Amino acid sequence: MKISNTGAVLLCVLGMTIVGSSVSISQLVLDYPTLTGQAARYALAAAALFAIARRWPGIGVDGRPATGRPTGREWVVLTALAASGLAAFNAFVLIALPHADPALVGTFIGAAPLGLALLGPLLRGRRPTVRLLGAAGIVVAGTALVQGTGRADTIGVLASLGALGGEIAFSLLAAAVLPRLGPVRVAAYSCALAVPLLLVGALVAGEPAEWRLPTGVEAATYAYLAALMTVVAFVAWFTGLRKLGVERAGILVGLMPVATLVTAAVQAGRLPALGSTAGVLVVALGLAVGLAGQRNQPADGQPAVLPEPVVASTARTASA
């Protein structure tokens, strides 16, 4: 399935919009054991993704079919992706929220475009481009305006930084295995691998004492999160990421808080605050600057990926 650059951008926008707009619905499951619920969500999503991979193996692979099972090195990268970008990210957000305002946590996570613009080229032995760094900085500034200011103690700040690291790792590690496995299989394997990690975390957090059947509303919410926020959003994001590369796709992470703001405004039936509106405009400016750099995009069919030494280093770290 051939995907144009414009199509890849639209897929990334779709993925981030779904994630951002789904934040409000997540409030419906706050009373359910968090890590257990997330494990159930990823288990449902993995089952759906593997079914899609078997039925339509060419989705999102841009002319080169995904082939074979993961190699040993790819299993390590996928496990690291599941551990950092899914399980640890959720755990860090859970730890941060009692110690920090949600707006501050969101502001930290909103710095991901800057980290991706910096680390993406560095991991391939290249210098970050001034255009993309500048664009990422503008997006981060706009994100801070959208989220507003907040208060946090030391635990809140450290956990928010951990969530930021998980958000960055989510795209960086996926880029290492997308070319051969394709977006659907990467999403399927990472979701499946996250399930036992989250269940172990649930045991450590003492959630077994709180285990119960979800209510009808909770079950419907988790089904929605598995189907739309995980299956659709992950496949859309990974497909666009494979085409655009880490740096350019990473800038679009800045749309996540914007989508959250717009959704909240629609639900409340009133316009957002002036500062938040200004933040949306700043984010739009940053996106325009970053996406205008056509010279910085990967060549067609040659997505930006981590080189062999970096993947091997990841394998050694994960097995240590």
Side-chain angles (χ1 to χ4, degrees), residues 33-50:
T34 304
L35 297 178
T36 302
Q38 292 299 318
R41 162 197 167 184
Y42 286 127
L44 289 173
L49 286 162
F50 280 121

Side-chain angles (χ1 to χ4, degrees), residues 84-287:
S84 58
L86 300 183
F89 175 83
N90 282 285
F92 278 126
V93 170
L94 177 65
I95 294 170
L97 287 176
H99 298 273
D101 293 340
L104 187 137
V105 178
T107 300
F108 271 91
I109 297 173
L114 188 58
L116 290 170
L118 178 64
L119 293 176
L122 287 178
L123 290 175
R124 297 196 307 277
R126 290 167 35 196
R127 292 182 180 179
T129 65
V130 174
R131 178 191 288 272
L132 285 179
L133 280 177
I138 294 171
V139 169
V140 170
T143 298
L145 284 174
V146 170
Q147 295 284 358
T149 58
R151 298 181 180 180
D153 58 22
T154 302
I155 294 177
V157 170
L158 292 176
S160 296
L161 286 171
L164 169 61
E167 181 66 28
I168 292 173
F170 180 72
S171 294
L172 284 179
L173 292 171
V177 290
L178 278 170
R180 198 181 74 84
L181 296 178
V184 177
R185 291 188 180 191
V186 170
Y189 284 119
S190 59
C191 286
L193 289 168
V195 174
L197 296 173
L198 285 163
L199 290 177
V200 170
L203 287 172
V204 173
E207 286 190 3
E210 303 173 359
W211 282 355
R212 59 175 173 81
L213 289 175
T215 65
V217 172
E218 289 169 340
T221 300
Y222 279 121
Y224 170 86
L225 293 176
L228 197 64
M229 189 175 172
T230 308
V231 174
V232 176
F234 278 24
V235 172
W237 176 254
F238 286 156
T239 302
L241 174 67
R242 187 176 190 271
K243 177 70 175 180
L244 296 176
V246 170
E247 303 97 289
R248 296 185 74 228
I251 293 174
L252 295 166
V253 176
L255 287 173
M256 189 190 305
V258 174
T260 302
L261 172 71
V262 172
T263 303
V266 170
Q267 289 178 330
R270 61 175 182 271
L271 294 174
L274 181 61
S276 297
T277 303
V280 171
L281 296 176
V282 173
V283 168
L285 173 63
L287 295 176

